[in-house]
Amino acid sequence: SAVARIEKTETVNGLAPIVATFSSRGYNPITMDILKPDITAPGVDILASWVKNSSVTGYLEDTRNSDFNIISGTSMSCPHAAGAAAFVKSYHQDWSPAAIRSSLMTTAFTMDATLAGNEDAEFGYGAGQINPTKAVDPGLVYDAGLDDYIKLLCTQGYNDTTLRFITGDISSCDSIEPSKIGARELNYPSIIVVTIPGQPIQAKFPRTVTNVGEAVSTYNVIINAPSKMNVTVEPDTLSFSSLNQKLSYNVTVEGEPILRDMLLSGALTWNYGNYSVRSPITVYALRF
């Protein structure tokens, strides 16, 4: 005799989104000059279709089956991110994986680090929460190809044998000059400086953007940074005359020494018309 009643819809302004306590956090201990995670996506209490050959709990003793289930975890967040990437790919079938990742990162919803659960800031949510509809038209993208990643691996100490485990071909580090600034040279949509406590903040990052928005457009940079972080961008204006045109700029991040385990959060955003191409900037002092 169960009875259900559907009430009138109400809008509730909750404290969201927040990163789940079980979600992995940065920094990236393997390649410290690349900020991780890249982005966050919905992954808590996700209602979705469920396979018939598995019980609702996954335990052998459980004989219950259902067309739907409610699951939480990376296994739910990843399909959202993968689906968003496929959605962007459907509009831009010639885009590289790096360009698609860039579009998702630079158009993400910014998140509030003051909310309980978000205290780790970019180490918890990266560039923010995915916004697939906006990612279809990001304005600018940070692209990178196979050669860029081969150079990164060679710079990090890979030899021909270990490199070929990754590439699956006959790539070699012999003809590649290692980068003097390491992973900072990789054309990534985010920026991180990892420092030793007590040492001044000093790092430079080259970046190149590809125009995928309006052919004739001029982007101006807006920098948001806390008092302990000084960020300069040269040039601070990028003027494009055609689609797929590439323009480069350099970012310098400086500051006074900060305490160990301290995290500073900022951002640079290229603005033109309705386009806002945002890259998070993070400075972190190691615990030791």
Side-chain angles (χ1 to χ4, degrees):
S1 301
V3 176
R5 183 173 61 194
I6 299 175
E7 301 284 0
K8 181 181 177 181
T9 299
E10 295 182 25
T11 299
V12 178
N13 294 317
L15 298 178
I18 60 174
V19 181
T21 57
F22 54 77
S23 183
S24 297
R25 260 67 170 177
Y27 64 99
N28 178 357
I30 304 300
T31 308
M32 291 188 288
D33 290 329
I34 296 179
L35 175 64
K36 290 295 175 179
D38 287 334
I39 206 162
T40 187
V44 176
D45 292 340
I46 303 301
L47 174 63
S49 58
W50 191 251
V51 293
K52 282 291 189 179
N53 61 354
S54 178
S55 67
V56 292
T57 61
Y59 292 113
L60 294 176
E61 305 81 26
D62 188 357
T63 59
R64 297 172 299 165
N65 294 107
S66 175
D67 291 329
F68 297 92
N69 206 347
I70 297 177
I71 300 293
S72 298
T74 305
S75 55
M76 293 295 100
S77 186
C78 281
H80 279 88
F87 177 66
V88 174
K89 182 75 170 179
S90 71
Y91 283 84
H92 306 284
Q93 297 189 19
D94 59 336
W95 279 15
S96 69
I100 294 173
R101 175 186 57 207
S102 172
S103 70
L104 292 170
M105 290 176 65
T106 61
T107 60
F109 292 109
T110 56
M111 294 177 63
D112 188 353
T114 65
L115 296 180
N118 289 349
E119 299 91 340
D120 294 317
E122 286 80 10
F123 284 175
Y125 48 69
Q129 180 166 276
I130 55 170
N131 182 1
T133 54
K134 193 174 180 181
V136 169
D137 187 19
L140 305 174
V141 293
Y142 295 85
D143 205 357
L146 178 62
D147 290 344
D148 299 298
Y149 281 95
I150 290 176
K151 184 173 184 178
L152 170 67
L153 295 175
C154 293
T155 298
Q156 291 197 297
Y158 278 62
N159 57 36
D160 289 355
T161 301
T162 53
L163 177 66
R164 290 168 185 173
F165 279 129
I166 304 297
T167 63
D169 56 24
I170 58 171
S171 298
S172 174
C173 290
D174 292 342
S175 59
I176 295 176
E177 182 180 353
S179 172
K180 295 180 180 179
I181 57 175
R184 294 176 186 171
E185 190 174 324
L186 184 64
N187 197 37
Y188 220 73
S190 58
I191 288 173
I192 182 171
V193 182
V194 178
T195 69
I196 297 174
Q199 290 192 357
I201 302 166
Q202 176 68 46
K204 293 186 177 181
F205 300 81
R207 290 293 185 265
T208 298
V209 286
T210 304
N211 181 22
V212 295
E214 294 185 15
V216 179
S217 52
T218 298
Y219 287 79
N220 297 303
V221 72
I222 295 177
I223 298 171
N224 295 298
S227 59
K228 294 181 180 292
M229 183 197 302
N230 181 38
V231 179
T232 56
V233 175
E234 180 63 36
D236 59 6
T237 299
L238 299 175
S239 295
F240 295 90
S241 57
S242 62
L243 286 175
N244 297 315
Q245 180 182 356
K246 298 178 183 292
L247 291 176
S248 299
Y249 65 94
N250 291 289
V251 182
T252 302
V253 183
E254 299 173 305
E256 297 297 320
I258 58 176
L259 300 175
R260 67 185 184 93
D261 206 28
M262 187 173 182
L263 178 68
L264 303 178
S265 298
L268 70 84
T269 306
W270 290 103
N271 281 342
Y272 165 72
N274 293 324
Y275 293 112
S276 291
V277 188
R278 181 181 180 274
S279 293
I281 302 175
T282 303
V283 175
Y284 175 64
L286 294 168
R287 295 191 179 112
F288 54 84

